[in-house]
Amino acid sequence: SQTIHQWPATLVQPVGSPLSLECTVEGTSNPNLYWYRQAAGRGLQLLFYSVGIGQISSEVPQNLSASRPQDRQFILSSKKLLLSDSGFYLCAWSVRWTFGNTIYFGEGSWLTVV
Amino acid sequence: GQNIDQPTEMTATEGAIVQINCTYQTSGFNGLFWYQQHAGEAPTFLSYNVLDGLEEKGRFSSFLSRSKGYSYLLLKELQMKDSASYLCAVRGGGSQGNLIFGKGTKLSVKP
């Protein structure tokens, strides 16, 4: 069966510090991979998605970036965090898009920028 | 533009039935999803509708009307553990079929 893991689960970072969140998927090949953010009182916002190694699409302009160095690895980064980057970050995967395929989420990472 | 609307909060009694509505306006439509999200946790998949009508899965059912841009999630025989946020999400058009999420409905089940 397929599993998805992301880490760290919780982190508190000062403004201006770097960020790295990592996500891996097991039990599948060539997945679509996603990074979402959920801020307090707001819906899930798609940040990045990837359909293959090195292929990253950004949905919203921001100071975050994403990379996919391996087929089942997805990394979210920032060089300098802002207070507004605080939130709940979720990595997700789906099979390469077909009708009906579902997006499955990792456990999430709580980021507090202070 | 793309928009998904659902009530912010609802309250219901244990053992009762509750219906959570969702209306959407999106560029293209390739299916509607419902997710359950307990506080502090990741969303988990509940149901998927792409054709009009009702899909039943145990105590949960989901309905879709594409012509009206409308869906609802029906929860029967409510249990305390059903207290959670319920997220409506639409897969729009485009080659990647990304999901667009509503802000979620926080359901509180009271004894």
Side-chain angles (χ1 to χ4, degrees):
Chain A
S1 65
Q2 300 86 4
T3 59
I4 178 170
H5 298 290
Q6 63 178 104
W7 65 93
T10 306
L11 65 165
V12 179
Q13 295 283 103
V15 170
S17 65
L19 170 74
S20 181
L21 300 178
E22 189 166 341
C23 169
T24 59
V25 180
E26 299 293 334
T28 187
S29 297
N30 303 314
N32 282 354
L33 296 174
Y34 309 84
W35 278 111
Y36 282 86
R37 176 171 60 200
Q38 189 174 38
R42 301 183 64 179
L44 280 166
Q45 180 185 36
L46 179 62
L47 302 176
F48 300 95
Y49 68 89
S50 171
V51 299
I53 295 174
Q55 300 179 64
I56 309 294
S57 296
S58 175
E59 289 293 296
V60 293
Q62 59 209 312
N63 71 323
L64 299 171
S65 62
S67 62
R68 185 170 178 173
Q70 300 180 42
D71 181 46
R72 292 171 293 170
Q73 183 185 26
F74 207 23
I75 298 171
L76 183 69
S77 304
S78 174
K79 292 182 179 179
K80 290 185 177 181
L81 284 168
L82 306 173
L83 285 174
S84 58
D85 291 325
S86 294
F88 189 40
Y89 287 82
L90 290 154
C91 182
W93 76 275
S94 69
V95 298
R96 194 57 58 85
W97 185 72
T98 57
F99 284 104
N101 63 321
T102 300
I103 288 181
Y104 298 96
F105 291 91
E107 307 95 327
S109 298
W110 286 98
L111 170 64
T112 303
V113 183
V114 296
Chain B
Q2 309 202 90
N3 192 52
I4 299 177
D5 286 319
Q6 50 181 131
T8 304
E9 293 186 43
M10 299 182 70
T11 302
T13 304
E14 191 176 17
I17 300 173
V18 70
Q19 178 175 311
I20 302 174
N21 297 323
C22 171
T23 57
Y24 64 89
Q25 291 177 305
T26 57
S27 301
F29 178 83
N30 286 310
L32 187 142
F33 296 76
W34 284 96
Y35 285 81
Q36 180 190 60
Q37 185 178 23
H38 285 101
E41 299 181 7
T44 56
F45 169 73
L46 286 179
S47 68
Y48 167 74
N49 295 71
V50 67
L51 300 176
D52 290 350
L54 188 68
E55 293 283 341
E56 297 187 79
K57 190 183 294 186
R59 293 189 298 114
F60 294 4
S61 303
S62 56
F63 172 83
L64 175 67
S65 170
R66 289 172 296 172
S67 62
K68 295 181 179 179
Y70 168 69
S71 172
Y72 67 72
L73 180 68
L74 192 70
L75 291 75
K76 303 176 184 176
E77 301 170 13
L78 280 173
Q79 302 175 10
M80 299 299 291
K81 67 178 182 180
D82 297 329
S83 292
S85 288
Y86 291 86
L87 311 180
C88 175
V90 174
R91 170 163 282 135
S95 61
Q96 300 312 319
N98 295 323
L99 288 186
I100 305 158
F101 282 85
K103 294 183 179 180
T105 298
K106 183 178 180 181
L107 174 67
S108 299
V109 180
K110 308 294 185 184

